[in-house]
């Protein structure tokens, strides 16, 4: 019986690998309309972390707070301009550090998401975690920060595996199913959509941040060219 059950899990995973590479929104939405796939069972040990999301959450309809949230987003964009790829229109499997741009962050929250507050967010590949997490934790001001892994088990990702800095907001967890994989089928840490380290010439650090992203294999993070961008002159480091 156990063998049979395992075969079904393998078949289910194979069947699901055809899922679109870039779900533009939380995949449970497709499930509610009878599309998409799910696997019911939480593995032990827990499933691998494939990437992270960092969300900044704030009170909508309080103009000074919204302004603070938008200013922090601008400062984050400026601080990490050498590392960020163009904004991503969805939330998963982008292959690079990017600001998520999928709704009006000034006036509303994301329809179909778990947030009851305003939020803006960043897709964080594993290698960029030590670059951006400490900076945002120290620079978030009065705003709350939610850091959660993406494993495909969205209930646990947003709940028991999540970390908060600042005041913890309630989330609408009714949209997720416990112990159920609804996302990331066929993905694993280190695939091209979810890199764990930077390849040659990737920007891995600079002379103002002590932490750096991880370079792959035998590459090292070395000082490269000086950038002048109107705000500062600084030397960036690249994997070489
Ligand atoms: C953020 O940056 C954009 C683009 O540079 C600018 O239009 C906007 O006024 C800035 N917002 C805040 C709150 O600083
Ligand atoms: C948010 O609402 C304000 C006030 O109605 C408006 O000026 C602004 O353009 C809206 N922002 C976006 C991104 O639509
Ligand atoms: C945080 O809130 C306090 C009190 O409302 C305010 O004085 C301060 O300017 C806020 N911090 C930032 C970074 O906006
Ligand atoms: C950057 O360096 C140039 C050349 O040395 C200098 O003219 C400029 O003022 C510097 N810019 C900043 C923002 O420090």
């Amino acid at each position: 019986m156990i063998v049979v059950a395992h075969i079904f899990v393998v078949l289910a995973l194979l069947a699901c690998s055809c899922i679109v590479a870039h779900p533009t929104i939380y995949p449970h939405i497709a499930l509610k309309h009878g599309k998409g796939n799910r696997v019911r069972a939480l593995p032990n040990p827990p499933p691998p972390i494939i990437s992270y999301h960092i969300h900044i959450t704030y009170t909508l309809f309080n103009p000074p707070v919204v302004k603070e949230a938008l200013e922090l987003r601008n400062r984050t964009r400026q601080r990490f301009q050498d590392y960020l790829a163009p904004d991503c229109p969805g939330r998963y499997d982008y292959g690079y550090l990017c600001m998520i741009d999928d709704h009006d962050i000034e006036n509303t929250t994301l329809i179909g998401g778990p947030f009851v507050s305003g939020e803006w967010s960043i897709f964080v590949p594993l290698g960029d975690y030590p670059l951006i997490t400490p900076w945002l934790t120290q620079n978030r001001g009065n705003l709350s920060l939610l850091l959660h892994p993406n494993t495909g088990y969205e209930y646990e990702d947003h709940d028991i595996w999540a970390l908060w800095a600042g005041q913890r907001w309630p989330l609408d967890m009714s949209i997720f199913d416990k112990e159920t994989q609804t996302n990331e089928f066929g993905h694993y840490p280190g695939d091209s959509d979810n890199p764990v380290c930077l390849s040659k010439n990737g920007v891995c650090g600079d002379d103002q941040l002590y932490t750096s992203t991880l370079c792959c294999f035998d590459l090292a993070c070395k000082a490269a060219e000086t950038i002048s961008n109107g705000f500062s002159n600084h030397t960036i480091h690249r994997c070489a």
Side-chain angles (χ1 to χ4, degrees), residues 228 230-233:
S228 296
F231 300 110
S232 67
N233 296 326

Side-chain angles (χ1 to χ4, degrees), residues 104-107:
D104 168 6
I105 59 172
E106 194 178 346
N107 297 308

Side-chain angles (χ1 to χ4, degrees), residues 26 53-56 73 88 90-91 98-103 105 110 115 119-124 146 148:
Y26 296 90
H53 283 162
I54 294 179
H55 299 266
I56 297 295
R73 193 167 195 249
C88 30
R91 302 198 155 248
C98 56
M99 292 262 188
I100 294 168
D101 183 14
D102 65 358
H103 68 288
I105 59 172
L110 177 64
F115 295 94
E119 73 87 35
W120 61 258
S121 48
I122 308 180
F123 174 78
V124 182
L146 166 64
H148 72 79

Side-chain angles (χ1 to χ4, degrees), residues 21-54:
H22 295 256
T24 54
I25 200 165
Y26 296 90
H28 64 272
I29 295 296
L31 288 173
K32 295 247 187 282
H33 292 89
K35 292 178 226 138
N37 299 283
R38 69 175 76 211
V39 171
R40 226 174 230 297
L42 192 59
N44 183 19
I49 291 172
I50 295 169
S51 64
Y52 287 93
H53 283 162
I54 294 179

Side-chain angles (χ1 to χ4, degrees), residues 126-131 196-199 202-204 211-217 219 221 239:
L126 296 178
D128 292 293
Y129 177 101
L131 175 79
V196 296
C197 56
L198 284 183
S199 47
V203 177
C204 51
T211 49
S212 62
T213 45
L214 217 56
C215 295
C216 291
F217 311 118
L219 300 177
C221 190
C239 297

